[in-house]
Amino acid sequence: TYSGGVDLYNKKANQFTAFRHSSSANSPADNNILGFLEDRRGNIWIGTDGGGVDLFDPRKQAFSHFMHQPGNPNSVCSNFIPAMTLDRSDNIWMGSVGDGITIYDPVRKTCRQIKKGCQGLSANNIAVMLCDKDDDIWIGSWDGGLDWYQRSSGKFLTPEQFSAGVSWPSLVVCMLQDSRGFLWFGTYDKGLYRYDKKAKVLIHFGHDVTAGSLSNNTIHCLFEDRKGDVWIGTKSGLNRF
């Protein structure tokens, strides 16, 4: 929640356990929560709005904290972390508000900070990140549009570099790769885009007066169900594709 910390729902007991920031080290570092990520060990990573990143071990019911330390490159680049994703090597990618990206290696317990301009990253103000099935990382930012971290080259590419001549979205705020491999990009006010990475084809879906169009061009969230339908949460309600 925002300002209320973390609530853990127990399905069997049908009840919530509340975790709030307190003077205890075994509590969230901040009550303003921006996002969650579960790693392959079942640990929960929690991005906060001012408290860095919390790691919750559900087996021990214990919190540990990753916070920015000025002058220390082996720390999280910022305490404001709205975006996280997990790559194939179990590294945690953390996108910050204004300070770029941190890649945390849980084996070596090291952080690597990437700022605008480093390896071609186009912006520091990260909104969303997604690791696709090829282990490439897609990054949406508030001030730089879209970046694609191409694993094979080790560089961040902008749409102009990998898909010249195509009108790509800016202000990408949510992403999804569906079971067929299509990449979906929801934008702040430009509708929805679907990208076929293999064929290099981009399709735009927007709101208009015709039946069957999106209910609004501001997209908040994306989800694929077991049937393969994609659900789109917009400023004006829910859509199913």
Side-chain angles (χ1 to χ4, degrees):
T1 71
Y2 199 84
S3 79
V6 176
D7 291 290
L8 176 62
Y9 177 67
N10 186 310
K11 187 176 180 180
K12 291 183 179 179
N14 192 31
Q15 66 181 19
F16 289 92
T17 300
F19 297 93
R20 304 288 183 267
H21 173 67
S22 70
S23 57
S24 169
N26 193 29
S27 71
D30 196 276
N31 283 329
N32 299 322
I33 309 302
L34 298 179
F36 294 92
L37 175 71
E38 182 178 10
D39 66 25
R40 278 178 271 273
R41 299 176 183 87
N43 298 313
I44 308 299
W45 297 78
I46 306 165
T48 75
D49 195 11
V53 175
D54 291 326
L55 173 60
F56 180 69
D57 185 332
R59 294 165 294 277
K60 299 177 180 179
Q61 295 282 292
F63 286 89
S64 53
H65 312 290
F66 298 81
M67 300 187 72
H68 175 63
Q69 300 169 18
N72 182 5
N74 192 35
S75 70
V76 178
C77 63
S78 169
N79 287 329
F80 303 86
I81 307 293
M84 293 182 289
T85 195
L86 181 72
D87 70 18
R88 196 175 290 169
S89 299
D90 292 333
N91 297 311
I92 312 294
W93 291 61
M94 308 170 183
S96 74
V97 178
D99 287 292
I101 294 169
T102 301
I103 304 174
Y104 178 71
D105 183 333
V107 176
R108 296 183 176 88
K109 300 186 184 303
T110 56
C111 290
R112 181 161 68 94
Q113 298 181 8
I114 301 175
K115 307 285 187 178
K116 180 180 178 179
C118 180
Q119 297 173 244
L121 183 65
S122 67
N124 281 330
N125 205 8
I126 312 301
V128 62
M129 293 193 294
L130 171 73
C131 182
D132 70 19
K133 295 176 182 178
D134 298 320
D135 204 30
D136 293 340
I137 310 294
W138 297 82
I139 300 115
S141 66
W142 289 104
D143 48 2
L146 188 69
D147 284 91
W148 170 26
Y149 177 72
Q150 189 180 56
R151 187 73 61 176
S152 60
S153 68
K155 295 180 179 180
F156 294 90
L157 305 177
T158 62
E160 291 76 17
Q161 294 171 299
F162 65 80
S163 186
V166 178
S167 181
W168 276 80
S170 59
L171 294 178
V172 174
V173 295
C174 56
M175 298 181 186
L176 169 75
Q177 185 170 34
D178 68 23
S179 55
R180 295 171 293 177
F182 292 130
L183 291 157
W184 298 78
F185 304 104
T187 72
Y188 179 72
D189 59 357
K190 302 297 183 184
L192 181 67
Y193 291 77
R194 188 184 73 184
Y195 183 56
D196 184 331
K197 190 178 178 183
K198 291 183 178 180
K200 298 183 179 180
V201 174
L202 183 71
I203 298 174
H204 175 246
F205 303 93
H207 171 69
D208 57 41
V209 296
T210 61
S213 75
L214 279 175
S215 58
N216 194 284
N217 281 328
T218 296
I219 314 298
H220 295 305
C221 52
L222 297 165
F223 175 77
E224 183 185 20
D225 65 23
R226 295 177 183 177
K227 297 178 181 179
D229 292 340
V230 175
W231 294 78
I232 305 106
T234 79
K235 190 177 180 181
S236 300
L238 187 63
N239 298 247
R240 183 179 67 177
F241 182 82

